[in-house]
DNA sequence: GCGACAG
DNA sequence: ATCTTGTCGC
């Protein structure tokens, strides 16, 4: 399927990114989103397995609608700027299991705030043909001042003289996220939706849920014994 | 050459 | 990010 002609070398991966960059479309959503999902993947270095998870929520109510997960083998090593070649296949596999197709997908990584404009969120959006938003916990590139302390405060993320995203504070006094549109969405819409997905945690709810599911998948797969481990000693109760 | 570097 | 145990705080 997808991993057959998947890039095997650094050069092939970079060439694919450069051939895809012209297909990225930062256009407004066709309609207000009713279902927003979060996507995250996590790897187990020991056996090179990787687990992907997607959690779909109603929007703006933010009630969990559906979750899906997938497991596989890492198809590419981690390299700065090439994260998508590691995570797109497993996230696409999880996405295909969904019964409810989300209107927007929040992704744990950069959107267009990337050396060739093709961060994980952008690449995944192109492959799935779904609007995506990149929500990264740290910076890959670009400059911008520290946003104000209040929740919702944001500063443009500038790279090569252009605004490629926002440094966005989701919770008062907490570390901000690096937001950038992925595909089929605008920066303003991305900001609005991400803030609309924040409740009592720093991470947007759909992303937090997907992160939790991917971690549970990894534990369940790496600790077969753990599933039915011995009960706690009496003296612990 | 030096510093930076999503997950 | 991963590898790890307990531990401090709401």
């Amino acid at each position: 399927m997808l991993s057959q002609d998947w890039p095997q070398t650094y050069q092939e991966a970079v060439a694919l990114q450069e051939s895809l960059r012209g297909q990225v479309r930062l256009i407004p959503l066709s309609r207000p989103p009713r279902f927003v999902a979060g996507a995250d993947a996590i790897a187990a270095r020991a056996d090179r397995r990787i687990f992907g998870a997607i959690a779909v929520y109603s929007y703006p109510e933010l009630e969990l609608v559906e979750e899906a997960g997938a497991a596989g083998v890492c198809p590419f090593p981690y390299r700065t700027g090439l994260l998508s070649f590691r995570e797109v296949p497993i996230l696409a596999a999880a996405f295909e299991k969904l019964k409810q197709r989300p209107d927007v997908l929040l992704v744990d990584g950069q959107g267009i705030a990337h050396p060739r404009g093709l961060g994980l969120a952008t690449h995944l959006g192109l492959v799935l043909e779904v609007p995506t938003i990149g929500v990264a916990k740290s910076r890959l590139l670009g400059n911008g001042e520290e946003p104000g302390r209040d929740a919702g405060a944001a500063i443009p993320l500038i790279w090569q003289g252009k605004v490629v995203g926002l440094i966005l504070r989701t919770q008062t006094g907490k570390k901000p996220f690096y937001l950038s549109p992925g595909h089929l969405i605008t920066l303003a819409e991305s900001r609005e939706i991400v803030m609309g997905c924040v409740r009592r945690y720093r991470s947007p709810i759909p992303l937090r849920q997907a992160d939790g599911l991917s971690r549970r998948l990894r534990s369940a797969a790496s600790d077969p014994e753990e599933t039915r481990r011995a009960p706690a000693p009496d003296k612990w109760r």
Side-chain angles (χ1 to χ4, degrees), chain A residues 115-137:
Chain A
R116 290 166 291 283
L118 265 138
L120 172 60
T122 301
H123 194 168
L124 189 60
L126 283 170
V127 168
L128 300 176
E129 299 186 274
V130 66
T132 54
I133 301 172
V135 184
K137 298 181 292 298

Side-chain angles (χ1 to χ4, degrees), chain A residues 119-171:
Chain A
L120 172 60
T122 301
H123 194 168
L124 189 60
L126 283 170
V127 168
L128 300 176
E129 299 186 274
V130 66
T132 54
I133 301 172
V135 184
K137 298 181 292 298
S138 60
R139 190 183 65 89
L140 173 57
L141 53 75
N143 299 294
E145 295 156 37
E146 178 82 7
R149 184 171 180 284
D150 295 347
I155 292 293
L157 179 64
I158 309 293
W159 188 64
Q160 296 186 338
K162 313 269 285 186
V163 176
V164 293
L166 292 174
I167 304 176
L168 176 67
R169 184 103 58 192
T170 55
Q171 292 274 278

